[in-house]
Amino acid sequence: MDPFYAALSFYRRLKYEECAAVCTELLEKSPYDQAVWTLKMKAVTEQVYVDDIEAEEEGIAEALMDNDTMAQVARPGTSLRTPSTEKGGPNQGLRPRTQTGRPLSGVVRPATQSGRPGTMEQALRTPRTARTARPVTSQSARSVRLGTASMLTESGGPFIQLSRLNLGKYAAQGNIAKPLFEYIFYHENDIRHAMELAVQATQACQFKDWWWKVQLGKCYFTLGLIRDAEQQFRSALKQNQKVEIFLRLARVYIRLDQPLSALDVCKTGLEYFPGEVTLTTEIARLFEGLNNIPTSIKYYRDVLKEDSTHVEAIACIGMQHFYTDQPEISLRFYRRLLQMGIYNAELFNNLGLCCFYAQQYDMTLTCFEQALSLASEEAVADVWYNIAHVAIGVGDCNLAMQCLRLCLSADSNHASAYNNLGMLEMRLGHRDQARAFFQAAGSLAPYLFEPHHNYAKLAEEMGDLQTSYIVIQKALQAYPSHVSSQELLQKLQKHFAFM
Amino acid sequence: MENVNRKFPNNDDTSLSPNILKNLSMIFVPELPLLESRNWLIHLHYSRQEFGICKILLQEELERSNDMCEYANYVQGLILRHEGKIQESLESFQTCHTLNPRNVNNIKEVARSLYLLGRHGLAVEAYLEAENVSSKPDWDIYHNLGTCLLHVGQHVKAKEYLLTAIELSHQEDSYVELAKIHLLENDIQGAIGIYNAALEWYPDSCELATSLGLLYMTTGQHQRAFEKLGCALARDPMCTKALLAAGCMMQNHQDFDVALSKYKIAAQLLPESISLWNNIGMCFFEKKKYVAAISCLKRGNYLSPFDWKTLYNLGLVHLITKQYASAFHYLSAAINLYPTSARTFMLLAVALKNLGDPDNARHAFEQAIKLDPSDAAVALNYGVLLNSVGEQEKASVQLRRFQELAEGGPGLDQELLEAAQSLSLSLTKANKSDLETDADEKNKKDEADDAGRLVKAGEGSVVAPEMGPDEV
Amino acid sequence: MPEEGKMPALKEYISHKGFLHHEDIPDYILCKPRLMPLKSVTLEKLENMQKQAEEKMKRQHMNVQKS
């Protein structure tokens, strides 16, 4: 078989490494064969391609030193960075919060939209565990790191020397320019050269090609020039309406913290592409970011009508049902995921919890055992924490304590575990230990109201009204409408404001 | 101050010019700026709660007076306390005290700060000192003395002081504290008396009326409880404590719709209260809406997994709906958390029996009897169990126990009596057939004996004993 | 022995009176069970890529050390 044909065949069969190997051989024989060169570029790019619409992650630097955001103090319901009050759905007493102050979400996505850190100190205080870490550097720097990672996969040095490349020559040739751009953008992660190429190519086709506008927009976006990116995407949209452009434009608005504009864009997109799953998902995510869970769930259901195997939608709806007292329905959703072939610790953990609360006691422990065997180091802590809950549900406090201790040995910063351990110690009457645990939990996770409330209550019972007064205010900061905390505060204020 | 430090003018010019006269007057009448000149301003800002400006003023005053301005220190102490910095506020008040030891207020504030820090012993001493210094009896001092002594554990003295406080000035807080002491000593009647007295002075207080209503409920005086709770709700229809108590009363009197209406109002104000969800669940249960009952109870359980009463109720509902495995789960959890409830063991035993485990059911019944030998239902159900496994004699024993307890105890449920009747019927039938069986067996035994004697007598003769018609 | 089947199985008496709460005594609050968010496909791929790159670097580093 003609080796070039063989290489093409490898590429079509997604065997990128073999394809690249064959191409390298061919290039050694005839280094100026453009077709082989292009094919190798494409093969090598595909190996490292990651859907960058999904993979966007905002670093701390970008969040803090942000020139583009419009409102310092946004009106409620118009900002993704300041979680607004709930609009229906389970409140904090029923559904746990994450570090960002938002309720627990069904799916972990790379893009984390968290509260805006006010000062550099606060920004640096974000914990560095693998789950919740945010890169300190900006996004472009992270792409560079990904680029260096990909370069390690090559033996014999990089196959294209970008500095020596004559970009102008290739910009005019459409069929080489496009793969070359993708290679530079995704594989080398050299945004500067990529942008040069894109600029020249756009000029070469006299601004008529929407594809180059989109690529230019991507470059601007990665470099942090958001407004320019917006311009490019809008101009591309005028020429040709594609789902990708709508999505990228929506992302631009999300980056600018204008969720309502992003919603508009997505809804416009839906007019052109009715029922399009990615756009509907984006809308659902936006509503979740705005803390409007019921609407978010409505859109996820629309997604499921179109695509009944959409993992994110199933997971989010399942979680919502669990926290609104419908564990049986939640179980059905998670079982569906199992049937689809997803087989990891998180799913089994969720199945175990749903089985327990739906009173299917035979399945509960097997699910948890499976979860434990599949769990990575970080996930194990959460699994033990939930097993402790099962133990409490059965009334076996010793087992619960052991499980919580195992959880803490896996993750010594698990605030909820400290809080629950404190409660168990209280039941045994060890007040000082309980106090220590509550204090630890409260300092590790100031966004959780439970440890603050418990600490304040314990302090008040022990007579230390000063600590109680200070701490209960923290609890109310985390969860302002909590009745128990409000009552405690009123009681204390009588002492403190007494003249 | 600077005027006093002015030096004398030169003695060169001896003529008494007007300038010199002026200078002389300035020398001989020094101006002393008052330490307390801006107290009124500080007070103004403090009462308007403009703490920011007040703090700036205080800073200035304290610098000016070298920390000797008593009022400035006092107000600073108050503001620090308001911000929650008790230790610093204590220091401010101690400064005041050293500046002016005869001022009772200073001592009182020191004592109060000590109390807020949890140092009750020292607080007591401080208050006693205040009492000595004070020229007239002060309600505040006696009330706080009572409270501190209560924390230290000296109930008798605490009560004395509180009574003195009440005599001096009938304050609601003092009554409440006094009632608290009585309740700690399990003197419910005394507490009721105190609340009644308090209500004479404060007939509009929702808190007092509700507390009194609850006490009446615990002593079984339902009519009075109902009155008091009604009063409380009339004053404040949103008083959650009263709503919950009233709903509970209605439930006890089988009036579930009214109870639910009360709970509905309360649920808006207390969305995460386990007591509320538990009671609502039981209302639905009595109205035979089992699914609603289970979901309310499960929500309560989710909010507060350590509450054994909710677990008991969940077990009960599942038992009635014949979901014995779930019932077993909830009841065993309830027992793990609270092992001294006979009724829980009884229900557990029933669940075990229906799950086909009569041995453990028996153990559970034994335990229930140990915990509460006077519960008639336990005896009856044990009898039913024993009857079903064929131990009729023991069943009869239990039935007799039931009859004794039923006569001695309060009025019983119709169902209970019916169940008892059917048990006794079945036992008598069993007894009759037992007697027949016994007679049969006795006959067989006699025949066998005879046969045996025959065999022994006629050794060698192979005569098989005749078998009875129902022998195998 | 007479058969049990002749008589209907006796039912126990179960009181319908559950336990009620008279008062709402605020208690300590437990943190609730946490369902774990699933990881999206992209995130898994990213993590895999990073892990592979790290392993490669480690191997190279070890090779350099050996030689």
Side-chain angles (χ1 to χ4, degrees), chain B residues 21-171:
Chain B
L21 275 173
K22 206 161 91 182
N23 288 342
L24 282 173
S25 65
M26 283 202 292
I27 291 165
F28 288 118
V29 186
E31 258 184 52
L32 284 169
L34 285 171
L35 267 180
E36 317 274 323
S37 58
R38 299 218 272 180
N39 281 359
W40 62 274
L41 190 59
I42 297 174
H43 178 79
L44 186 73
H45 284 297
Y46 178 72
S47 19
R48 286 189 197 159
Q49 306 223 324
E50 292 163 353
F51 294 135
I53 306 179
C54 206
K55 284 211 295 200
I56 298 173
L57 267 177
L58 285 171
Q59 198 72 8
E60 285 175 19
E61 281 303 301
L62 287 170
E63 272 175 29
R64 229 162 45 113
S65 63
N66 243 349
D67 263 5
M68 300 241 243
C69 174
E70 187 194 339
Y71 191 67
N73 273 309
Y74 188 80
V75 176
Q76 189 178 60
L78 287 173
I79 294 183
L80 283 168
R81 178 194 292 163
H82 194 83
E83 295 173 348
K85 300 178 187 155
I86 310 292
Q87 189 59 38
E88 293 164 31
S89 127
L90 176 63
E91 284 161 23
S92 294
F93 288 129
Q94 274 169 338
T95 324
C96 286
H97 180 58
T98 31
L99 286 172
N100 185 354
R102 309 250 21 115
N103 189 346
V104 189
N105 285 331
N106 295 337
I107 311 182
K108 283 206 301 193
E109 294 304 336
V110 167
R112 187 157 197 86
S113 302
L114 286 166
Y115 169 67
L116 289 174
L117 282 171
R119 282 134 84 172
H120 302 292
L122 290 171
V124 168
E125 285 174 27
Y127 272 120
L128 285 170
E129 195 188 322
E131 192 199 354
N132 282 335
V133 172
S134 135
S135 50
K136 53 179 171 62
D138 190 348
W139 156 77
D140 192 23
I141 298 181
Y142 290 115
H143 173 86
N144 287 314
L145 259 175
T147 327
C148 292
L149 283 166
L150 174 60
H151 274 278
V152 174
Q154 298 182 24
H155 291 188
V156 179
K157 274 197 172 172
K159 270 198 275 191
E160 273 178 37
Y161 280 117
L162 284 170
L163 280 167
T164 331
I166 291 178
E167 275 167 38
L168 285 169
S169 159
H170 300 268
Q171 291 289 334

Side-chain angles (χ1 to χ4, degrees), chain B residues 444 447-448 451 463-469 471:
Chain B
K444 283 183 218 142
E447 282 177 15
V463 179
E466 219 187 294
M467 299 230 288
E471 261 184 85

Side-chain angles (χ1 to χ4, degrees), chain A residues 94 325 357 359 361 466 479, chain B residues 86 272 298-299 302 329:
Chain A
L94 296 168
D325 300 320
Y357 283 98
Q359 296 166 252
Y361 303 118
Q466 166 175 288
Y479 183 17
Chain B
I86 310 292
E272 289 164 23
K298 278 175 87 166
R299 172 171 275 214
Y302 176 80
H329 166 255

Side-chain angles (χ1 to χ4, degrees), chain C:
Chain C
M1 238 202 306
E3 261 115 13
E4 288 292 326
K6 286 196 186 147
M7 287 171 283
L10 289 171
K11 279 205 305 197
E12 294 87 3
Y13 165 73
I14 304 173
S15 156
H16 280 230
K17 277 213 156 103
F19 282 107
L20 294 178
H21 286 101
H22 300 289
E23 254 187 288
D24 183 34
I25 305 175
D27 194 12
Y28 295 91
I29 300 178
L30 210 55
C31 282
K32 303 297 179 289
R34 296 174 79 92
L35 284 182
M36 291 168 75
L38 299 172
K39 291 198 194 140
S40 75
V41 174
T42 320
L43 189 58
E44 280 196 19
K45 191 168 177 187
L46 267 176
E47 282 182 2
N48 275 338
M49 271 168 59
Q50 266 186 309
K51 237 195 284 179
Q52 281 173 2
E54 274 171 27
E55 276 170 25
K56 267 215 168 106
M57 273 174 59
K58 258 195 238 165
R59 261 182 272 148
Q60 280 183 355
H61 192 67
M62 280 193 348
N63 287 337
V64 166
Q65 271 191 337
K66 273 189 203 159
S67 60

Side-chain angles (χ1 to χ4, degrees), chain B residues 12 35 39 62 81 109 119 158 214 234 334 352 365 380 387 397 399 455:
Chain B
D12 296 326
L35 267 180
N39 281 359
L62 287 170
R81 178 194 292 163
E109 294 304 336
R119 282 134 84 172
L214 283 167
L352 282 165
F365 270 124
L380 178 66
N387 183 35
V397 170
L399 188 58
V455 166

Side-chain angles (χ1 to χ4, degrees), chain A residues 17 32 78 103 192 203 282 318 389 407:
Chain A
E17 279 198 34
Y32 292 106
T78 59
R192 202 166 57 84
Q203 282 172 342
E282 201 60 41
H389 265 284
C407 166

Side-chain angles (χ1 to χ4, degrees), chain A residues 52-109:
Chain A
D52 58 344
I53 299 183
E54 287 280 321
E56 180 200 323
E57 180 150 1
E58 196 181 58
I60 295 185
E62 277 148 347
L64 196 52
M65 300 180 231
D66 189 359
N67 290 331
D68 294 310
T69 350
M70 311 241 296
Q72 199 67 19
V73 181
R75 290 198 311 281
T78 59
S79 164
L80 290 166
R81 303 244 174 94
T82 44
S84 55
T85 50
E86 312 278 342
K87 292 185 202 139
N91 49 23
Q92 256 189 326
L94 296 168
R95 179 164 175 167
R97 294 272 148 147
T98 55
Q99 193 206 357
T100 62
R102 228 165 241 106
L104 210 53
S105 168
V107 171
V108 174
R109 305 172 203 104

